Amino acid sequence: MKKHLFLIILFLGMVVSACGTTDRQNLKRTELKQAAVTKTFSSSETAEISNYLAFAEEFSNASPEAQKQTLIATNQQLTLNANSLLHRFKLAMIYALPSSTLLDVQKAQPMLLSILRENHLTGAQTAYAHMLFDYVIALNKANKSDHEDEKHIESILQKNENLQSKLDSLQQKLASTQQKLDAAQQQIDELKNIEKSMGQREPIQKK
């Protein structure tokens, strides 16, 4: 359900932020938005994006082993033609889709950035690449935040462990001190008993 929702949101986002003429040499988000001209996708562009979404749907439903095989086949196609935009998009999706067992935002981000630097992208391709890129950036930030939270939790746990260790050591010292106090009290009690015993003896009568 989540992967279908992601694809729907992705497609709707492209329609909303679709751009026609864009200064693709400048990748700053603010300047791209200022240069963008909203328009309706042509039938060929719509069919092109439908192919991307179909690949994403098929890949998302594939088994982990099938996804690995798709990665191998895609890399083989790029070995034959490194400039194939279709397979570059596919490779980026393999590493960017949330349902991918090969999810790796560190690999997807530079791939999408490289695609966005192309001068011959259609408006649909630009919008699609931007949506994937925005998703990857957001996911990367979330991962960093999670990592920082994990480090913070580990730090707290380590401090708690150190405090527990100190507490255990203090308890051992207290237990040792209590043993010494008990031993001293026992000696005092024994001395008192001896003194009491001597006091209770009858005095020796002189003949």
Side-chain angles (χ1 to χ4, degrees):
M1 182 65 181
K2 289 182 179 180
K3 58 191 175 188
H4 293 296
L5 182 60
F6 169 77
L7 293 175
I8 293 172
I9 293 174
L10 187 65
F11 181 75
L12 291 177
M14 287 188 298
V15 172
V16 173
S17 63
C19 58
T21 57
T22 305
D23 180 8
R24 299 184 184 92
Q25 296 298 325
N26 195 328
L27 295 177
K28 293 182 180 179
R29 295 292 296 158
T30 53
E31 294 183 13
L32 279 171
K33 288 181 180 179
Q34 291 173 356
V37 177
T38 303
K39 71 167 189 177
T40 303
F41 292 147
S42 66
S43 58
S44 62
E45 288 178 310
T46 302
E48 183 178 40
I49 297 303
S50 294
N51 288 334
Y52 292 157
L53 293 176
F55 172 81
E57 178 73 10
E58 181 181 356
F59 183 83
S60 297
N61 292 326
S63 65
E65 183 58 34
Q67 289 186 354
K68 289 181 181 179
Q69 293 302 318
T70 301
L71 173 62
I72 293 173
T74 303
N75 279 324
Q76 288 176 343
Q77 291 296 326
L78 286 171
T79 299
L80 299 175
N81 182 8
N83 295 321
S84 172
L85 195 57
L86 172 62
H87 290 95
R88 287 168 66 190
F89 262 114
K90 285 184 176 182
L91 188 60
M93 283 189 282
I94 288 173
Y95 289 123
L97 290 174
S99 53
S100 174
T101 57
L102 303 167
L103 179 66
D104 190 336
V105 294
Q106 299 301 324
K107 291 182 179 179
Q109 186 172 333
M111 290 178 185
L112 290 167
L113 197 58
S114 176
I115 290 173
L116 287 169
R117 287 197 177 102
E118 294 291 339
N119 294 320
H120 57 280
L121 295 180
T122 64
Q125 289 172 333
T126 300
Y128 188 78
H130 269 306
M131 296 310 299
L132 276 178
F133 186 74
D134 288 345
Y135 169 76
V136 167
I137 291 296
L139 184 59
N140 193 29
K141 288 181 179 179
N143 289 340
K144 287 182 179 179
S145 178
D146 289 343
H147 181 64
E148 289 175 357
D149 289 342
E150 288 176 1
K151 288 178 64 178
H152 183 59
I153 292 173
E154 288 177 0
S155 176
I156 293 175
L157 291 175
Q158 184 63 45
K159 289 180 180 179
N160 287 341
E161 186 177 342
N162 292 337
L163 288 173
Q164 186 61 48
S165 178
K166 291 179 180 179
L167 179 61
D168 292 341
S169 177
L170 181 59
Q171 287 176 337
Q172 289 178 355
K173 290 180 180 180
L174 289 174
S176 177
T177 301
Q178 186 62 47
Q179 288 178 353
K180 291 179 181 179
L181 289 173
D182 291 342
Q185 184 63 47
Q186 185 178 358
Q187 290 178 353
I188 292 172
D189 291 341
E190 289 176 353
L191 290 173
K192 286 182 178 180
N193 290 333
I194 293 173
E195 183 179 353
K196 184 178 180 180
S197 176
M198 292 178 65
Q200 290 176 350
R201 289 180 182 178
E202 294 182 358
I204 301 175
Q205 297 181 354
K206 295 181 180 180
K207 294 181 178 180

